[in-house]
Structures are given as C-alpha cells and as structure tokens.
Amino acid sequence: MNVLYHLTILPPKMPKAEALSQEIALLQSTFGGELIYLNPNISSPIYLPRLLFGFHKLPEIRRREAEIDLHHVYNPDPFPFPILRFLQKPVVYTLSSGIGDKRPNLRFLSRLTAVTVPDERSYKRLRGWGLANVHLVRAGVENGRFSQTSQPLDGRLRLLVASAPWNVLQFQSKGIDALLAFAAQRPDVALIFLWRGHLLDEMQRRVAAHNLADRVQVIDELVDVNAILATVHATVNLASAEGIVKAYPHSLLDSLAAGKPVLVSQAIPMADYVAQTGCGVVVEAVTPEAIGQAVDKLVANYEEMVETAVHLGRRDFTLETMIASYRQVYQAVLAGAA
C-alpha cells in the first residue's frame, strides 16, 4: 500500500512537536508514502486563499499518482478544496477537529471516497445528516513513551498548556488570555506553556503584563514531554468554539497516558469523554471564572481523577487501535466499499 498524505497547514517549525505531523509520520512508517503541504503561503509573495491551495503542487501530484493507491487529506474543518476534484485516486479526508453543530457541505463530503472523524460527537452528527461514507477513527498515542509519576498536591497546582496559538487571534480563542488572567488571580497556580516557535515575543509580553514571570514558564523548544508531565498535576486545553483544536488533542491524550487528569473546554469534542469517564473536568466557558470553577473541582476530586486517568489513559487511546482503524478504512477504500 502506498499513500500520498496531504496537510493544509504551513510546514511547522517543529514537526516533532506538532500532533498531525507526528500522526502522519507514524502512518507513513506503517503504510508507506510521502507527505505534501497544500498550503502555498510559505513562499507566496501574497496571501493565497484556501480555494487555491494545492494547485502549485498539481504537477508533482500528477507524477506521484502513478505510484500511489490513495490520497489521505488532513484538514480541521470540512472545507471543499477545489484541488481535490483533480485527484484521480481515491481520497480519504480526515476532519481532525471533528464537526460542529452547523450542517456542512454534505454534497462535497459525500463525493469523497471516505471521511474520517476522531470523535463520537462528530460521527453521530454526520451519520444523522445522512452521510454514509464516514468512519470513526479514535486518536492514539505511543503510551510506552510515558511513565506515570505521582505528583501529590503540595499547595501549588501546576498545569501544563501544550496547545500554542498559530496567530494572534488564537490567544483568545485557545484560552491563553483567559488562563493568564486566571493565574493572575490565583497565586496557588503555576502554568507551563509548551510553545512552537510562533509569537514568542507576544506571549512574553502578555506574561509580563500580568506580572506572572515567577509562575508562568514558556518553553519554546523541543522537550521530553514525559519529563514535563512528571512535574505537573494536570494538563489543560481550551477552545472557544469547535474546530479550533483537534477533537482529541494529543496533549490531553499524552497527559492521560502519564496518569495526569485533564481540563478541557466544552467546545472540544473530547469533553464528552471526560464527562463520561471522570478523568478530568470540563471547563464550561473560556473565561477566568469558569477555569477557576473547574480547577476547584479538580483539586477537590484530584486523587479520584488521577486513579481514573491511570486506568483509562493507556486503555482507550492506543496507536495499535488507531492504525488498525485506518487500515480498515484504507482497505475498504481500495475494495470500493467505503
């Protein structure tokens, strides 16, 4: 089997710290194939809209189609990229951030060979709207990379934040501003942010404005995530609306694999799983007040949530299950049964 993978984001500065790049690298090692970035704005002198993504790569795609079995496109939302009409081999389209409650372009999605989503919320919505070619592929992480290091509460709650913004607007939509405002009100809370090479100066300016230099650490380099998780009590990932981050953010799956509870906002589909299992707390809104309420609930039930995270983290999100699910999708596509 030979797959041509497509990403619609710009090439990340630190691919090993970017979840989709990691996932595709794993699939490449299993199924073979190459990766193409459809976003032309890394080199374009003017910004090109998504309608034009991929056309600068069309000659290369044409050459590679003689050697591949199918295309696998990753994109957060169900955007109907025109370039997909020009692909001659079957197309698997992964909606990495799931689907919101607004009905998407079902005509576009139904023309794809297969659509995959990582969460039950999105799967049920698409099936309910009549989409027959949708598949559920739950995310997985390499659990063996993580050790479960106990971190008792000691008067200061240390939270890991590992979903950095790609642009200035995401300081608000990813809850960075709300977390800093919350921390400024709570001297018992310390935050560790894992950054990705973008907007570091802007982040440092915000930390200084809140006088949080002694309780907020921003790490802008590739690190041993397991070592960082060993020092914190929980991991937080926020989004003000669906589609901003992955439906099952890798930072939260890593946290569970390390036996650490999670804080996740209601807009992220993983919130359904957290509410059902009790492996953390759902943050009802991306505001300092709602974060504070969730943190208080975490502290009050911390030992129980740690036990749940330890039990579930390595059971429900394995690489083996994810790879097996994609294998089934690929085989169905090639058999014409997707």
Side-chain angles (χ1 to χ4, degrees):
M1 188 180 302
N2 194 351
V3 183
L4 186 57
Y5 295 94
H6 304 261
L7 267 177
T8 59
I9 62 172
L10 290 171
K13 292 184 178 181
M14 292 186 286
K16 292 184 178 180
E18 198 279 316
L20 292 182
S21 299
Q22 292 178 53
E23 183 170 312
I24 290 175
L26 172 68
L27 294 179
Q28 286 178 292
S29 68
T30 304
F31 300 108
E34 301 294 329
L35 169 63
I36 285 181
Y37 287 94
L38 298 181
N39 191 328
N41 289 300
I42 187 66
S43 57
S44 175
I46 60 172
Y47 176 79
L48 297 176
R50 293 205 289 178
L51 288 170
L52 299 179
F53 279 21
F55 285 103
H56 67 303
K57 292 286 189 177
L58 187 55
E60 179 183 353
I61 293 171
R62 281 278 184 265
R63 291 193 301 270
R64 296 189 182 211
E65 278 199 309
E67 305 171 352
I68 68 169
D69 298 299
L70 58 91
H71 298 275
H72 190 163
V73 180
Y74 276 80
N75 193 59
D77 64 326
F79 186 81
F81 293 96
I83 185 65
L84 301 184
R85 302 175 192 167
F86 293 82
L87 304 183
Q88 298 174 347
K89 293 294 178 72
V91 177
V92 176
Y93 193 113
T94 290
L95 292 166
S96 58
S97 294
I99 200 81
D101 56 7
K102 181 180 178 181
R103 186 187 295 260
N105 184 337
L106 295 175
R107 184 178 181 185
F108 158 68
L109 293 176
S110 65
R111 288 177 174 175
L112 299 166
T113 314
V115 176
T116 77
V117 292
D119 64 290
E120 292 81 355
R121 183 191 298 182
S122 299
Y123 180 78
K124 290 177 180 178
R125 282 173 175 169
L126 289 173
R127 295 288 294 185
W129 287 324
L131 193 68
N133 61 339
V134 60
H135 303 259
L136 176 64
V137 178
R138 180 174 278 183
V141 296
E142 189 178 349
N143 291 327
R145 293 171 47 215
F146 301 99
S147 55
Q148 296 178 335
T149 304
S150 176
Q151 191 62 242
L153 293 174
D154 56 4
R156 174 172 287 189
L157 186 72
R158 292 179 294 280
L159 300 176
L160 177 64
V161 189
S163 182
W166 289 99
N167 55 60
V168 174
L169 294 177
Q170 287 189 346
F171 278 94
Q172 186 278 325
S173 63
K174 283 192 170 185
I176 307 300
D177 288 338
L179 281 165
L180 293 175
F182 160 71
Q185 302 167 6
R186 291 284 296 263
D188 60 323
V189 173
L191 303 174
I192 299 176
F193 289 88
L194 297 187
W195 225 242
R196 293 186 294 203
H198 296 277
L199 302 168
L200 178 61
D201 290 344
E202 183 64 24
M203 179 59 173
Q204 291 174 332
R205 185 186 69 78
R206 281 170 154 79
V207 172
H210 285 285
N211 296 313
L212 287 171
D214 61 329
R215 288 190 289 116
V216 171
Q217 182 181 7
V218 183
I219 303 175
D220 189 36
E221 61 186 29
L222 194 62
V223 297
D224 181 349
V225 177
N226 180 52
I228 298 294
L229 281 167
T231 70
V232 303
H233 295 97
T235 302
V236 56
N237 198 310
L238 304 177
S240 61
E242 292 176 306
I244 295 173
V245 302
K246 290 188 69 177
Y248 274 80
H250 273 215
S251 63
L252 300 187
L253 302 187
D254 292 348
S255 187
L256 293 180
K260 301 300 173 74
V262 300
L263 298 169
V264 57
S265 57
Q266 181 62 53
I268 300 174
M270 187 176 172
D272 297 345
Y273 175 87
V274 173
Q276 291 164 5
T277 62
C279 63
V281 184
V282 176
V283 184
E284 296 300 330
V286 183
T287 64
E289 295 74 22
I291 295 170
Q293 292 168 3
V295 164
D296 290 341
K297 185 175 180 180
L298 173 71
V299 171
N301 301 278
Y302 185 68
E303 297 303 329
E304 180 182 349
M305 290 181 178
V306 167
E307 290 182 10
T308 303
V310 167
H311 175 65
L312 297 180
R314 301 190 180 190
R315 185 195 73 182
D316 291 348
F317 304 101
T318 68
L319 290 181
E320 293 77 14
T321 300
M322 184 187 75
I323 291 171
S325 295
Y326 274 126
R327 189 185 304 277
Q328 290 179 346
V329 172
Y330 291 167
Q331 290 174 343
V333 164
L334 296 179

